[in-house]
């Protein structure tokens, strides 16, 4: 890129705060006290992100008399639940294509369950008065290269054959009438399958709803270990213990208290920027009256959307796996990625030259080899877990909460009968093989993006093995 353009992109980041825009909000509730001493409960939920919050809430909705305790190692919603793009998708399978490839015989049921799950989220937001800026505007997958356009056209034909409605193919002019960028060649608009929301406000609203239903929540209370205790389980925390008949683990990217689950996920750091609010003139220059979420169709893709006050969130592209799966707050900031994202933003929207970014942040995603959540039990069914949501957990964590509660009940349901629920992804190999494999995959995906979408032998082999690495 020319030096002048580089300087413009860098200058746009000069005032960006190194914190998630969503978490930098005066609506953030105060943290609740940590657990001290011993607690006894019917159900202990470990983790105060979406996975744990939905589990605690639905447990009380199913049985208001059930005693429920939730512990969170930091503060509710502070990790992935407060740092994501705010896309709440109906898909339980990380997109229809991934679902068709992995579970073709179940895809109709999975799509139906996903639609019902998104409807239930919308209903819960209304029922509990959660002001999380919920907008069911849908999402457009955008082609910015000719081969991507042809792939979207062919995929739309497959969608029609599958009998799925509500997804429209947009040519260049139709797409640019919705959102105007000189890089857009066409797209697929899923009109009802995705909602936009304020992710941190959703987490905080679920926290309030849980408290109102009688859930006892302890923040700054990390679960240190999990052991059998009589007919139930015990979890040790820094200042106490929780004794529970059943335990649901919603810790996702953080090391599972069931150690055998750990090899199934790796942390992938994702990064995002948020602009200052657009002026009416700036907004008019790009259109976007439908306020859809957007994502381009490259392997190294971007996702972008409007906030309630007409800022643009722009994220994705780089996906960074730290050697050994290291988790560190230091990795939440990556200036070289922020600069790259800023440059790409102004390539997409040159008419917004001069716009500044107010926030720049990152965070870890719990990635698994099949891109979508997996489930299981331990300790003779006393413990259930869900993990591996791979970036689409805003919506699917609620489904995962239902699955965990089904598994803990010991009863067979339409969810527990699913092959998706009964099977697991391939575990990641130990180091240095995990790092090497992920790096080769990333470089191969980047090469495919610049080579007409052609996948090399490595990617074709990974496809056959059902393995992947999502950027």
């Amino acid at each position: 890129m020319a030096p002048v353009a580089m300087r413009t992109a860098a200058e746009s980041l000069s005032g960006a705060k190194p914190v998630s825009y969503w978490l930098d909000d005066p609506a953030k509730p105060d943290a609740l006290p940590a657990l001290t001493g011993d607690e006894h409960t019917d159900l202990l939920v470990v983790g105060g992100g979406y996975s744990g919050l939905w589990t605690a809430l639905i447990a009380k909705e199913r049985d208001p008399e059930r005693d429920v305790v939730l512990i969170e190692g930091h503060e509710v919603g502070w990790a992935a639940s407060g740092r994501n793009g705010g896309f709440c998708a109906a898909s339980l399978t990380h997109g229809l294509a991934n679902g068709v490839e992995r579970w073709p015989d179940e895809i109709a049921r999975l799509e139906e369950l996903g639609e019902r799950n998104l409807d239930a989220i919308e209903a819960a937001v209304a029922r509990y008065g959660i002001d999380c800026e919920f907008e069911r505007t849908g999402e457009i997958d955008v082609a910015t290269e000719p081969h991507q356009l042809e792939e979207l056209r062919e995929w739309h034909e497959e969608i029609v054959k599958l009998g799925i409605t509500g997804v429209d193919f947009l040519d260049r002019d139709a797409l640019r009438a919705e959102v105007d960028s000189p890089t857009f060649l066409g797209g697929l608009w899923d009109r009802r399958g995705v909602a936009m929301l304020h992710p941190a406000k959703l987490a905080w609203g679920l926290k309030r709803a849980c408290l109102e239903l009688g859930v006892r929540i302890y923040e700054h209370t990390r679960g240190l270990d999990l052991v059998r205790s009589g007919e139930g389980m015990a979890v040790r925390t820094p200042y106490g213990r929780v004794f529970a008949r059943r335990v649901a683990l919603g810790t996702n990217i953080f090391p599972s208290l069931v150690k055998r689950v750990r090899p199934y996920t790796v942390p992938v750091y994702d990064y995002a920027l948020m602009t200052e609010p657009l002026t009416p003139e700036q907004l008019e220059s790009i259109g976007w009256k439908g306020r859809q979420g957007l994502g381009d169709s490259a392997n190294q893709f971007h996702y972008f959307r409007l906030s309630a006050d007409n800022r643009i969130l722009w994220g994705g592209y780089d996906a960074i796996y730290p050697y050994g799966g290291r988790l560190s707050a230091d990795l939440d900031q990556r200036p070289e990625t922020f600069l790259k994202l800023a440059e790409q933003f102004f390539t997409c929207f040159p008419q917004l030259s001069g716009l500044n970014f107010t926030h720049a942040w990152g965070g870890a995603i719990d990635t698994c080899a099949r891109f979508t959540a997996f489930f299981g039990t331990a300790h003779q069914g006393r413990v259930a877990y869900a993990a591996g949501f791979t970036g689409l957990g805003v919506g699917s964590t609620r489904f995962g909460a239902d699955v965990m509660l089904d598994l803990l009940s010991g009863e067979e349901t339409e969810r527990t009968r699913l092959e998706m629920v009964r099977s697991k992804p391939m575990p990641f190999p130990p180091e240095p093989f995990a790092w090497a494999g992920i790096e080769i995959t990333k470089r191969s995906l980047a090469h495919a993006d610049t080579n007409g979408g052609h996948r090399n032998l490595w990617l074709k082999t990974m496809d056959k093995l059902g393995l992947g690495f999502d950027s």
Side-chain angles (χ1 to χ4, degrees):
M1 179 167 285
V4 173
M6 280 282 287
R7 198 160 50 244
T8 300
E11 288 171 352
S12 71
L13 292 162
S14 63
K17 297 170 69 172
V19 63
S20 165
Y21 167 77
W22 308 117
L23 294 172
D24 186 26
D25 193 294
K28 182 178 181 295
D30 293 335
L32 295 168
L35 171 69
T36 57
D38 290 349
E39 265 279 21
H40 294 79
T41 187
D42 295 327
L43 173 66
L44 170 64
V45 179
V46 182
Y50 297 140
S51 188
L53 291 165
W54 281 119
T55 303
L57 185 69
I58 295 171
K60 292 294 285 185
E61 289 178 336
R62 290 188 182 188
D63 180 3
E65 299 304 313
R66 176 162 32 190
D67 191 59
V68 180
V69 167
L70 183 150
I71 61 172
E72 160 57 38
H74 191 67
E75 294 183 16
V76 162
W78 78 279
S81 298
R83 305 178 189 221
N84 59 79
F87 288 66
C88 185
S91 177
L92 305 175
T93 59
H94 207 273
L96 179 60
N98 191 51
V100 168
E101 180 181 345
R102 298 183 187 279
W103 303 288
D105 296 335
E106 288 186 344
I107 193 61
R109 174 57 58 85
L110 289 167
E111 287 292 294
E112 177 193 353
L113 288 170
E115 290 173 11
R116 282 161 47 186
N117 184 65
L118 182 55
D119 289 342
I121 292 172
E122 186 172 14
V125 166
R127 181 166 65 253
Y128 294 107
I130 299 174
D131 181 16
C132 63
E133 301 164 11
F134 190 97
E135 298 180 274
R136 198 157 176 176
T137 53
E139 180 182 26
I140 303 176
D141 291 331
V142 174
T144 57
E145 297 289 342
H147 74 271
Q148 296 171 10
L149 182 63
E150 188 57 33
E151 289 169 358
L152 288 182
R153 195 188 305 275
E154 292 174 357
W155 178 234
H156 184 250
E157 293 173 358
E158 291 298 315
I159 291 173
V160 172
K161 291 177 183 177
L162 289 168
I164 294 172
T165 60
V167 180
D168 298 330
F169 179 81
L170 305 178
D171 63 18
R172 176 183 177 278
D173 291 342
L175 175 56
R176 292 187 63 174
E178 294 292 333
V179 187
D180 192 13
S181 166
T183 67
F184 291 175
L185 303 179
L188 286 184
W189 182 3
D190 179 352
R191 292 179 177 270
R192 288 282 298 167
V194 183
M196 301 295 107
L197 53 76
H198 187 304
K201 287 183 179 179
L202 174 62
W204 300 334
L206 290 173
K207 173 184 175 180
R208 174 179 55 79
C210 284
L211 293 170
E212 290 173 352
L213 293 185
V215 177
R216 299 193 301 288
I217 297 177
Y218 297 95
E219 295 179 88
H220 296 290
T221 301
R222 183 183 171 199
L224 300 176
D225 57 44
L226 173 71
V227 296
R228 287 283 296 276
S229 177
E231 294 301 309
M233 304 299 300
V235 171
R236 183 171 60 89
T237 70
Y239 306 127
R241 296 173 297 176
V242 183
F243 297 90
R245 292 179 59 251
R246 297 290 183 267
V247 177
L249 301 178
T251 51
N252 297 300
I253 194 52
F254 299 99
S256 177
L257 294 178
V258 177
K259 292 183 180 179
R260 69 171 183 266
V261 176
R262 296 179 184 179
Y264 289 102
T265 62
V266 295
V268 173
Y269 277 80
D270 183 49
Y271 298 92
L273 305 174
M274 184 68 97
T275 73
E276 62 192 343
L278 273 63
T279 66
E281 294 76 21
Q282 288 170 327
L283 190 58
E284 181 66 26
S285 73
I286 59 173
W288 218 340
K289 293 182 174 62
R291 302 183 59 81
Q292 309 93 330
L294 286 92
D296 60 51
S297 302
N299 292 306
Q300 292 184 289
F301 63 90
H302 303 90
Y303 53 88
F304 40 117
R305 45 83 46 107
L306 288 171
S307 67
D309 60 349
N310 291 330
R311 301 169 184 261
I312 297 177
L313 182 145
W314 177 265
Y317 190 78
D318 270 348
I320 306 301
Y321 169 68
Y323 185 87
R326 183 169 65 96
L327 291 168
S328 171
D330 293 341
L331 298 172
D332 293 346
Q333 291 292 305
R334 198 166 192 269
E336 60 267 42
T337 292
F338 297 144
L339 181 58
K340 187 183 300 180
L341 285 172
E343 294 165 2
Q344 293 163 341
F345 176 87
F346 291 114
T347 298
C348 182
F349 294 122
Q351 61 269 54
L352 298 180
S353 177
L355 195 65
N356 292 313
F357 295 100
T358 61
H359 296 76
W361 71 93
I365 296 170
D366 60 325
T367 296
C368 73
R370 72 184 193 187
F371 301 153
T372 189
F374 61 92
F375 313 90
T377 61
H379 295 280
Q380 289 77 50
R382 294 174 175 85
V383 177
Y385 57 83
F389 291 94
T390 318
L392 258 69
V394 178
S396 57
T397 44
R398 187 194 175 280
F399 174 81
D402 265 327
V403 171
M404 283 197 286
L405 292 170
D406 288 350
L407 293 172
L408 290 174
S409 76
E411 298 178 4
E412 187 177 88
T413 68
E414 63 177 340
R415 289 176 286 264
T416 61
R417 285 192 294 269
L418 293 167
E419 177 64 22
M420 187 187 81
V421 170
R422 293 186 290 111
S423 64
K424 287 191 173 54
M426 289 284 288
F428 288 93
E431 298 293 10
F433 304 106
W435 185 86
I438 289 171
E439 284 300 304
I440 293 171
T441 302
K442 284 175 57 181
R443 293 174 187 178
S444 298
L445 290 171
H447 182 263
D449 282 339
T450 59
N451 191 36
H454 297 297
R455 299 171 77 81
N456 62 16
L457 181 60
W458 176 267
L459 292 179
K460 290 177 180 177
T461 302
M462 294 297 100
D463 292 341
K464 288 181 179 179
L465 294 174
L467 299 172
F469 179 80
D470 187 51
S471 67

